[in-house]
Amino acid sequence: MGSVEDAYLTGDKRTEKVRIFFSSIYDKYDITNKIMTFGLDIYWRTVALSYISMGSNKSVLDIGTGTCDIPLYLIKKGFKGSITGIDITRDMLKVGYKKLYTNKKKVNLIEGNVFTLPFKDESFDYVISAYTFRNISPIDDAIAEVNRILKKSGLFILLEISIPTNEVIREIHKKVFLKVGPYIGGILSKNEEAYSYLPQSLLSFPARNEIIKKFYLAKFKNCRYRDCTLGTATVFLGNK
C-alpha cells in the first residue's frame, strides 16, 4: 500500500489494503506516530477522551484500537467501566495486548472491522475512534454501524488529523505532515512506500462540515466538532 489510488479505494479492497499497510509497520507504529506528529497525537487523544466520564460504570468501544493507546489511557485515568477494542490488524492487537498486560487490566480485544461490528444493537455508552476513519470507505456505512451499537443518549467521539482552515498554517501543515512526516516515518519503519499513503488518506477524507452532515444522516443528534492545535486535528462529536 502506498499509491495515491489506494486512498480512494472502497469496501473490502480498501479494508485489505489498510490491513496490509498496518501489518507492515505494527512494530514501529507507536514511535513513528509520535515523531510524525511531534508528540501532539497524545494531546489530541487526551482532548477526545475528555468527553468520557472516567468515574462512571459505562461501556466504551474503541474502533481501530491498534496498539491500544486509548484503552491504556482509560485504565491509567481510573475508568470504572468496561473497555472493548476492535481492530482489523492482528499484529497491532498483539502489541496492544502486551502493553495492557503489563498494566494488569482486562480489556476485551477483538479482530474485526467497523462495517460489521460483532455486537448487539445499543451495546455501548461510548464509541471512540482515533486516526482510523480516514482509512475507511464508505464512511457513511461505518458511521451508521456506530449508531446501531450505541445506546440511546450514547456518545460517538471521532478524532482525526485535519487540514487547517487558516491559509498560512495550512501551507506549513502540508510541508510538515504531507512531506516531512511520511519521509521520517518511512526511514524509521524502513517502509517509505507504506508511509506515502498517509498524506493521501488525509486529502481524501471529507471536510469538517461534510463529516457533520454524515453524522446527521446517520441519525446522530447535537453534532459538533472541536479543532485542536490550529486545526491540525479535529474531534467530532455526535449523540444518539
Side-chain angles (χ1 to χ4, degrees):
M1 188 172 201
S3 69
V4 174
E5 291 78 10
D6 287 336
Y8 294 89
L9 291 173
T10 61
D12 292 340
K13 289 183 178 180
R14 180 68 172 271
T15 299
E16 184 57 26
K17 285 287 187 178
V18 170
R19 190 201 314 276
I20 292 170
F21 166 58
F22 283 105
S23 294
S24 71
I25 64 166
Y26 72 93
D27 56 339
K28 299 291 192 305
Y29 177 78
D30 284 347
I31 185 63
T32 54
N33 212 31
K34 288 174 176 57
I35 291 176
M36 285 177 64
T37 64
F38 303 98
L40 287 170
D41 67 300
I42 301 172
Y43 166 67
W44 298 333
R45 201 177 289 111
T46 301
V47 172
L49 286 162
S50 69
Y51 293 94
I52 294 177
S53 177
M54 294 299 163
S56 62
N57 188 25
K58 302 287 186 177
S59 53
V60 175
L61 171 65
D62 177 23
I63 294 176
T65 191
T67 60
C68 300
D69 279 337
I70 284 176
L72 190 58
Y73 177 94
L74 291 170
I75 291 167
K76 290 182 176 180
K77 290 296 179 179
F79 180 69
K80 303 299 182 183
S82 64
I83 307 169
T84 301
I86 188 167
D87 200 280
I88 63 171
T89 309
R90 183 175 299 181
D91 288 326
M92 296 279 277
L93 289 173
K94 288 180 179 178
V95 174
Y97 176 80
K98 291 179 181 178
K99 289 161 64 174
L100 293 169
Y101 181 78
T102 59
N103 284 270
K104 296 180 172 54
K105 171 71 175 181
K106 179 175 174 54
V107 175
N108 186 26
L109 297 181
I110 299 171
E111 183 179 358
N113 71 71
V114 68
F115 298 112
T116 54
L117 293 170
F119 310 109
K120 296 179 180 179
D121 295 355
E122 300 182 6
S123 293
F124 297 94
D125 296 289
Y126 297 98
V127 173
I128 185 167
S129 185
Y131 319 123
T132 296
F133 267 58
R134 71 178 187 278
N135 298 311
I136 292 171
S137 182
I139 190 174
D140 308 70
D141 293 351
I143 295 173
E145 181 70 348
V146 169
N147 185 279
R148 179 186 69 80
I149 55 94
L150 259 180
K151 294 180 182 179
K152 292 179 181 178
S153 75
L155 179 64
F156 178 30
I157 307 166
L158 174 62
L159 169 62
E160 269 300 348
I161 297 170
S162 297
I163 297 176
T165 55
N166 179 277
E167 186 174 348
V168 176
I169 301 301
R170 184 166 60 247
E171 289 305 310
I172 296 173
H173 182 254
K174 283 182 179 180
K175 292 179 180 178
V176 174
F177 182 77
L178 302 186
K179 294 182 180 180
V180 177
Y183 176 73
I184 294 173
I187 291 175
L188 292 174
S189 67
K190 298 180 181 180
N191 193 336
E192 191 170 346
E193 181 181 0
Y195 270 92
S196 67
Y197 158 79
L198 289 178
Q200 299 305 327
S201 69
L202 172 59
L203 293 174
S204 64
F205 193 66
R208 293 166 178 78
N209 289 336
E210 288 299 314
I211 294 296
I212 293 299
K213 287 180 183 178
K214 292 178 185 298
F215 270 43
Y216 278 118
L217 286 172
K219 299 182 180 180
F220 281 99
K221 303 173 183 177
N222 189 26
C223 305
R224 65 273 191 203
Y225 69 83
R226 172 182 173 181
D227 277 340
C228 304
T229 318
L230 302 175
T232 53
T234 304
V235 179
F236 298 91
L237 302 159
N239 293 93
K240 183 168 179 179

